[in-house]
Amino acid sequence: MNGAQLSEFPDDSEQLEPYVSGLRRRALQASELSAVRTFSDQFLLKFLRARDVDVDLSLKLLLNYQRWRRESPEISTCLSPSSVLGLLNTTYHTVLPQRDRTGSRVLIYRIGQWIPKDWSAFQVFRVSLMTSEIISMETETQRQGLKAIFDLQGWSLGHALQINTSLARKISSVLSDSFPLKVRGIHLVNEPMFFRPVFAMIRPFLPDKIRQRIHMHGADFHDTLRDFFSPSILPPEYGGEGPGIERACQDWTNQLLQSETLLQQIASHPTGDIAITPEDSLISEEGENERLFGSHIHSAVFSARCFLGWGPPLWRPGAASQPGSLPLSLGGNFSVVT
């Protein structure tokens, strides 16, 4: 039985139990997780399904996820939809209500709705991370992954100036090997020619598999998107027959706001496994501070900046927003749809 077939079993299946137990045992043996007491079955299944129940690959993904959270507190400790409500209300982002024909979730990002002087790239990326945390809890999404449409109409020099190599690396890491979601496809529409240099910056950090799943549709995308998505699920603005984009964005904004408490629990949890209480997930309080957050002060500073609507302390003096990065992921070799 292959991994895809194993993924189809329900969470409490006897067929999955040996893989869950094996991943837990190996994770708790990892030196960088020595402060962790345990992980829940539900949490581990996200990583197993994201790697077709290959324990070796799932362990690598789990370790990368924990490392990424630990090394990027400016993003990972601030998952508050209300802190970016102004951005969400611009109809910047949605998850379509219906899945595509393969069962994948379909995400849309409208880059032109993001005003760089108002919202930093850190804040923009947090929106992607919030959505990713929510949909990664869905069993069907664990199995079938996601596809993203990036509408680059309105892309400007102001957006480009938000990109730096360090953040490009972090975001590419989440896309490729640090988050328990399968990225099945990335589709760019309305991309201007001067957007291409951004790919040159991000490309080195992406594996070939992800590069091959990037498609550039240009301005004449209404027909070509239909080669990948059923018109019944796409908004009319993207050549489909589904709910309009503004309604879809508002519906997903409401979903994120309803998940505020859940997302804050994930952000403040030492491992992100909220099925286990923070106290029960760690061997000691010292282990929590030293290995998973660095210090209570460090985490508290980032949380305070988050709720005040600030980014991490990285901006240039006098600048309205700090250098940052694009939302969850772009980059690599791509196919141009003609």
Side-chain angles (χ1 to χ4, degrees), residues 77-94:
T77 64
C78 183
L79 301 181
S80 169
S82 61
S83 73
V84 289
L85 183 57
L87 174 61
L88 292 169
N89 281 340
T90 67
T91 66
Y92 161 72
H93 170 58
T94 188

Side-chain angles (χ1 to χ4, degrees), residues 32-64:
E32 60 191 280
L33 297 181
S34 61
V36 178
R37 177 178 287 122
T38 191
F39 290 107
S40 68
D41 290 3
Q42 181 181 4
F43 186 73
L44 294 175
L45 278 168
K46 293 198 301 184
F47 296 88
L48 284 165
R49 288 195 173 115
R51 291 296 180 266
D52 289 330
V53 200
D54 182 307
V55 173
D56 289 336
L57 294 178
S58 300
L59 175 64
K60 179 180 178 182
L61 179 62
L62 174 60
L63 294 176
N64 287 345

Side-chain angles (χ1 to χ4, degrees), residues 16-29:
L16 288 174
E17 196 281 329
Y19 299 94
V20 174
S21 297
L23 178 56
R24 179 184 294 109
R25 181 179 63 255
R26 293 189 57 187
L28 297 180
Q29 291 172 347

Side-chain angles (χ1 to χ4, degrees), residues 98 115 171 262 286 298 311-312 327 332:
Q98 298 183 62
I115 308 302
I171 292 171
L262 175 67
E286 180 181 359
H298 190 241

Side-chain angles (χ1 to χ4, degrees), residues 13-316:
S13 169
E14 292 182 358
Q15 284 85 353
L16 288 174
E17 196 281 329
Y19 299 94
V20 174
S21 297
L23 178 56
R24 179 184 294 109
R25 181 179 63 255
R26 293 189 57 187
L28 297 180
Q29 291 172 347
S31 59
E32 60 191 280
L33 297 181
S34 61
V36 178
R37 177 178 287 122
T38 191
F39 290 107
S40 68
D41 290 3
Q42 181 181 4
F43 186 73
L44 294 175
L45 278 168
K46 293 198 301 184
F47 296 88
L48 284 165
R49 288 195 173 115
R51 291 296 180 266
D52 289 330
V53 200
D54 182 307
V55 173
D56 289 336
L57 294 178
S58 300
L59 175 64
K60 179 180 178 182
L61 179 62
L62 174 60
L63 294 176
N64 287 345
Y65 174 80
Q66 298 297 334
R67 187 179 304 117
W68 188 91
R69 294 182 85 238
R70 188 168 62 248
E71 295 176 354
S72 304
E74 72 276 14
I75 300 173
S76 64
T77 64
C78 183
L79 301 181
S80 169
S82 61
S83 73
V84 289
L85 183 57
L87 174 61
L88 292 169
N89 281 340
T90 67
T91 66
Y92 161 72
H93 170 58
T94 188
V95 177
L96 297 183
Q98 298 183 62
R99 297 174 182 272
D100 78 347
R101 60 178 67 97
T102 68
S104 296
R105 275 291 202 175
V106 180
L107 286 58
I108 297 180
Y109 295 91
R110 306 172 73 206
I111 303 302
Q113 304 302 110
W114 164 31
I115 308 302
K117 69 180 180 64
D118 296 332
W119 302 99
S120 74
F122 282 97
Q123 292 167 310
V124 169
F125 181 52
R126 287 184 199 128
V127 172
S128 296
L129 199 59
M130 292 175 208
T131 286
S132 298
E133 289 286 5
I134 293 299
I135 66 175
S136 71
M137 296 181 179
E138 303 168 345
T139 300
E140 188 63 13
T141 305
Q142 292 170 13
R143 293 168 177 154
Q144 307 301 339
L146 66 87
K147 295 170 185 171
I149 298 172
F150 288 89
D151 185 346
L152 294 166
Q153 184 171 10
W155 173 266
S156 68
L157 180 62
H159 296 100
L161 290 176
Q162 289 272 329
I163 312 262
N164 64 37
T165 303
S166 173
L167 291 184
R169 182 184 294 109
K170 287 185 178 183
I171 292 171
S172 299
S173 177
V174 169
L175 173 66
S176 59
D177 63 2
S178 297
F179 204 90
L181 280 172
K182 299 174 181 177
V183 179
R184 298 296 199 187
I186 297 173
H187 299 263
L188 310 182
V189 302
N190 288 319
E191 68 278 10
M193 287 300 297
F194 61 85
F195 178 76
R196 302 291 177 94
V198 175
F199 281 92
M201 180 181 298
I202 301 175
R203 176 178 178 174
F205 309 121
L206 292 172
D208 288 341
K209 181 171 65 174
I210 296 296
R211 297 176 191 176
Q212 293 166 6
R213 294 176 180 174
I214 297 176
H215 309 274
M216 301 187 78
H217 295 260
D220 298 324
F221 58 84
H222 289 82
D223 289 333
T224 58
L225 276 180
R226 294 185 178 210
D227 294 336
F228 299 90
F229 304 98
S230 170
S232 64
I233 73 168
L234 290 173
E237 294 85 348
Y238 295 93
E241 304 159 0
I245 188 64
E246 291 191 3
R247 174 186 165 189
C249 288
Q250 187 58 58
D251 287 348
W252 186 250
T253 294
N254 292 338
Q255 178 66 45
L256 287 175
L257 290 172
Q258 291 168 15
S259 304
E260 176 101 23
T261 299
L262 175 67
L263 286 165
Q264 290 185 26
Q265 288 173 346
I266 293 171
S268 62
H269 196 282
T271 67
D273 183 1
I274 59 173
I276 306 290
T277 65
E279 295 77 15
D280 291 339
S281 68
L282 297 174
I283 293 173
S284 68
E285 181 73 12
E286 180 181 359
E288 174 184 357
N289 293 339
E290 294 296 330
R291 302 188 63 82
L292 298 174
F293 275 124
S295 72
H296 285 304
I297 295 175
H298 190 241
S299 182
V301 167
F302 280 116
S303 296
R305 300 189 71 85
C306 167
F307 289 105
L308 288 171
W310 305 345
L314 298 175
W315 63 77
R316 301 181 303 273

